[in-house]
Amino acid sequence: MNIVSFIIYCIVVTFTPGPTNIVILSSVQHHGARKTMGYVGGATLAFGLLLAASALLNRMLADILPHILGVMQIIGSLYMLYLAYQVYTMGRTEENPRQSSGFVSGLLMQFANPKVLLFTLTVIPGYVMPYYSSPAAAFIFVMVITVIGFLAFTTWVVFGSIFKSFLQRHQQVMNSIMALFLVYSAVMVSGIL
């Protein structure tokens, strides 16, 4: 196993913009870093659970994988469009925006996030299982990848906190840009293009 390639793959996938990271950035802008850390906790837990499920159920998933991926693409795309609408309309009314930024929202986002699902379905069988067969080794790799994911999410919280005043001054533009990224992600995941 090329451990450097494995680490680079994990870092690139978890740190690059995706639905969860965009929602984290938006949540920091509107609710602050402390409240967003609840979302990060839920996202991290779901990320770890998905990795563990991939490690435990890889052989069974191989038989039904095409059906699961198709359904998750549709659900994930619809959920991302909903999030895009939520991000786009934030701060446009006098009422405090209702964006889900808590633990449960972070947990659910990961289960509907096709980027995370595809990553978790490929990283364990692609990098770990060909070289390690013991449950202990799989557990260690699941924990390492989960920590990398947590660091990625937290980095987005820090980034959002540092640039919060800039983001708030340009709130409508930033919300529109983040919503467009989510719409683009939804379109790409759905397979329309």
Side-chain angles (χ1 to χ4, degrees):
M1 173 185 201
N2 185 341
I3 202 78
V4 174
S5 173
F6 166 75
I7 296 293
I8 289 171
Y9 177 61
C10 291
I11 289 173
V12 166
V13 170
T14 57
F15 278 80
T16 54
T20 302
N21 295 339
I22 291 169
V23 171
I24 287 171
L25 184 62
S26 179
S27 182
V28 169
Q29 177 186 354
H30 295 284
H31 302 289
R34 184 171 294 187
K35 190 167 182 181
T36 303
M37 286 308 292
Y39 183 92
V40 167
T44 302
L45 176 61
F47 188 59
L49 290 172
L50 287 166
L51 286 164
S54 175
L56 295 172
L57 305 172
N58 185 48
R59 293 202 189 277
M60 187 169 59
L61 286 176
D63 295 333
I64 57 174
L65 186 64
H67 302 294
I68 288 175
L69 288 179
V71 170
M72 291 314 297
Q73 283 177 317
I74 293 168
I75 292 170
S77 294
L78 292 173
Y79 188 65
M80 282 188 272
L81 290 173
Y82 167 76
L83 288 174
Y85 174 76
Q86 291 289 315
V87 168
Y88 181 73
T89 60
M90 274 185 184
R92 294 187 187 275
T93 62
E94 294 298 319
E95 183 183 320
N96 208 4
R98 282 195 70 195
Q99 179 194 15
S100 300
S101 62
F103 181 85
V104 173
S105 181
L107 187 80
L108 294 175
M109 174 61 174
Q110 292 299 67
F111 286 111
N113 184 344
K115 178 183 174 187
V116 168
L117 290 172
L118 291 173
F119 173 72
T120 58
L121 289 172
T122 59
V123 69
I124 297 293
Y127 280 94
V128 178
M129 289 182 171
Y131 304 101
Y132 302 96
S133 59
S134 76
F139 176 77
I140 290 169
F141 280 103
V142 164
M143 294 307 298
V144 167
I145 298 166
T146 302
V147 168
I148 292 170
F150 174 75
L151 293 173
F153 301 148
T154 305
T155 299
W156 280 83
V157 171
V158 170
F159 175 77
S161 297
I162 291 170
F163 294 103
K164 185 175 182 174
S165 64
F166 172 81
L167 295 171
Q168 285 176 336
R169 277 195 312 270
H170 304 286
Q171 180 177 355
Q172 288 183 349
V173 172
M174 294 307 297
N175 285 356
S176 297
I177 290 170
M178 288 185 280
L180 285 173
F181 278 130
L182 284 170
V183 168
Y184 173 76
S185 297
V187 169
M188 295 309 292
V189 165
S190 71
I192 292 172
L193 295 180

